[in-house]
Amino acid sequence: MSPSHPPKRPHRPLRPAMAGLHTWAGVLLGWLLYFMFVTGTAGYLDTEIDRWMRPELPPAQYPLPPAPQAAHALAYLQAHAPGALSWSIQLPVDRNEPYLRVDWSPAGAAQPQAVWLDAQTGAPFAVRDTAGGQALYQLHWRLHYLPPALTEWLVAIASMVLLLALLTGIVAHRRFFADFFTLRLGKGQRSWLDAHNLASVASLPFQLMISYSGLVFVMFSFMPLIASAWYGQAPGAAVRSFYGELFPPMAAAPASGQPAPLTAIAPLLAQAQARWQGAPVAVLTVQNPGDANARISAIGNFAGGPVREAGILVFDGVSGALLAERLARQSAPRAARDLWLGLHEGLFAGTVLRALYLLSGLLGCVMIATGMVLWSAKRSARQPSVGHALVSRLNPAAILGLPVAIAAYLWANRLLPIGMEARAQWELHALFATWLVSFVWAACTAPAKAWRWLAWCAALGFGLLPVLNAATSTRNLLQSLQTGDTVMAGMDLGFIALGLAFAAGALAMQHRQKVRR
């Protein structure tokens, strides 16, 4: 070799390093990411789950002329919440909020009150207290039972780990496009790898979008560190000052203590729609109702498109004069942020696009679950460590125990007494208690048996929900099909499909174990 050419340094391939980083990034927070994906995916059906968990509600009708609905809502609030600090009226403009609902904040009360009204007559519906689909969806970032500050950091770190795992997985793949078309069944560890690769590649654009937009959602988890440098170090004051400048109050005024009648609402709605080129008013809020300093805010529909933005108009609640306006589009950076948030939530999605969101979310669940199983399967041939044994024992509870727990949550909705105090919270307690029991049981059971039994529990838990619904409400599957109640019928049919899917999985596990014997 010529002296002018120094010897080459040994080549260190990038792919093995990326593969190792990909593996451990997924393993360290796999269970948390799986929980976030399952509950987050349920959020794409949150309104439909809400309806199933409130069978007293009739089929929704929307959109309807806003003025009569707003008049019904104001009449109810004036009669039943005259001393409240504020009122909120949700108008049914799309499937995200398909019912006329009123909320108010009673003076001195910790929790707001909510009532669903008949949009045609203004009569209230007597609905059960339930956590509903919204609480199930919110679990994927609130995690429940944990302090908000801790959950924000956990979710932010998990989102970053997911994005890292996706990017390193792309680098580590040698047969990236071929994996999209490869699924070899009955091949043991090879089958798990094929399922993991197929679910990952098929839903990769969605996974990249959901992880990055999730980071945009939780970016303010880190804002205290940044805001303190500019707004001071007093606990809480820095963040309050920051938000005060980011979202300044619009024509706010304290209550004067002098009673005054509220202005007519129809002209305000017409003015708002005229300014927004016919776009609907989705929410009306009233601050200081019945006071001379009352303020009425008309808020547009944040789910009107992929950019999560809406205009706001603030009127004098007595004279009806326009006091302030906030445009839907304020700046290019804000629009970019709102676009990521809108894509993450998918509230704008129609039926077909929502189905694709749901399918991609389910593939994300499969991706994480098969990754956790694959990690355990790869190490089963080696001398097992304490960590491997723990993961192998608890994987069935983490992966199949969660669907069982969600089924228990839905069963609790039908079985808990209607008048039970804190009923909604007990539904969530039932979910986490069932999941905890599955962990304890799986820890004391052989993994093969735990997988099979939990799959059967999930199959029965979901498959029998339509029977439970028929026994505890008038919205049974046959009646829903006959009356064209597509939401209730679709939910019952979806539960049957889930039950059959878990039953097929349980039978496959049972057959595999018989073959091995």
Side-chain angles (χ1 to χ4, degrees), residues 271-281 298-300 311-313 325-326:
Q271 184 176 347
Q273 288 190 290
R275 283 179 171 268
W276 298 337
Q277 289 78 47
V281 176
I299 305 170
I312 302 175
L313 299 175
E325 178 178 10
R326 179 179 294 166

Side-chain angles (χ1 to χ4, degrees), residues 175 177-184 190 193-195 197-198:
R175 301 170 61 251
F177 292 103
D179 287 336
F180 185 83
F181 302 99
T182 304
L183 180 59
R184 288 159 286 193
R190 180 72 250 182
L193 181 59
D194 284 349
N197 290 340
L198 191 150

Side-chain angles (χ1 to χ4, degrees), residues 90-424:
Q90 179 68 57
L91 299 171
V93 295
D94 56 24
R95 58 83 51 193
N96 296 299
E97 290 288 352
Y99 294 96
L100 177 61
R101 193 186 77 233
V102 294
D103 302 78
W104 66 93
S105 300
Q111 294 293 331
Q113 304 293 316
V115 171
W116 283 258
L117 303 177
D118 188 319
Q120 305 286 352
T121 66
F125 293 116
V127 299
R128 67 189 64 198
D129 179 28
T130 177
Q134 266 298 306
L136 188 62
Y137 158 65
Q138 291 173 8
L139 287 178
H140 89 280
W141 84 85
R142 290 187 172 176
L143 306 184
H144 211 58
Y145 300 124
L146 298 178
L150 177 59
T151 60
E152 287 176 355
W153 281 94
L154 285 174
V155 169
I157 293 169
S159 300
M160 237 182 297
V161 166
L162 175 61
L163 185 59
L164 177 65
L166 291 170
L167 295 175
T168 53
I170 293 172
V171 176
H173 267 299
R174 292 183 182 143
R175 301 170 61 251
F176 189 82
F177 292 103
D179 287 336
F180 185 83
F181 302 99
T182 304
L183 180 59
R184 288 159 286 193
L185 299 177
K187 301 293 184 181
Q189 185 177 316
R190 180 72 250 182
S191 298
W192 286 113
L193 181 59
D194 284 349
H196 178 72
N197 290 340
L198 191 150
S200 304
V201 174
S203 61
L204 183 61
F206 174 84
Q207 310 305 344
L208 289 170
M209 179 276 290
I210 212 73
S211 57
Y212 181 77
S213 58
L215 283 172
V216 173
F217 244 118
V218 298
M219 64 184 291
F220 291 115
S221 303
F222 305 99
M223 286 311 296
L225 304 178
I226 301 170
S228 296
W230 297 94
Y231 294 90
Q233 309 229 351
V239 177
R240 284 194 299 272
S241 299
F242 169 78
Y243 276 103
E245 291 188 16
L246 185 63
F247 304 107
M250 298 176 63
S256 67
Q258 299 179 359
L262 209 61
T263 187
I265 200 68
L268 308 187
L269 290 169
Q271 184 176 347
Q273 288 190 290
R275 283 179 171 268
W276 298 337
Q277 289 78 47
V281 176
V283 179
L284 287 168
T285 64
V286 182
Q287 299 295 324
N288 309 322
D291 187 86
N293 279 345
R295 298 288 186 266
I296 299 176
S297 298
I299 305 170
N301 185 15
F302 281 95
V307 182
R308 193 180 183 276
E309 60 186 11
I312 302 175
L313 299 175
V314 180
F315 300 92
D316 187 296
V318 177
S319 69
L322 179 61
L323 301 178
E325 178 178 10
R326 179 179 294 166
L327 298 176
R329 184 69 54 88
Q330 297 178 37
S331 68
R334 175 71 182 269
R337 170 189 176 273
D338 291 342
L339 174 62
W340 284 114
L341 300 191
L343 290 173
H344 187 94
E345 291 182 325
L347 297 177
F348 68 96
T351 303
V352 175
L353 184 55
R354 185 168 297 277
L356 291 175
Y357 264 93
L358 184 64
L359 175 61
S360 299
L362 291 173
L363 287 173
C365 299
V366 172
M367 173 187 72
I368 298 170
T370 52
M372 295 302 298
V373 172
L374 190 60
W375 183 89
S376 181
K378 279 184 175 181
R379 286 151 183 81
S380 60
R382 308 173 191 174
Q383 186 168 356
S385 64
V386 174
H388 169 258
L390 182 65
V391 172
S392 297
R393 287 267 178 175
L394 298 184
N395 256 346
I399 295 170
L400 287 180
L402 181 56
V404 172
I406 292 174
Y409 172 71
L410 297 169
W411 278 74
N413 172 261
R414 290 296 196 267
L415 297 180
L416 291 176
I418 297 295
M420 181 179 183
E421 188 176 351
R423 189 177 187 278

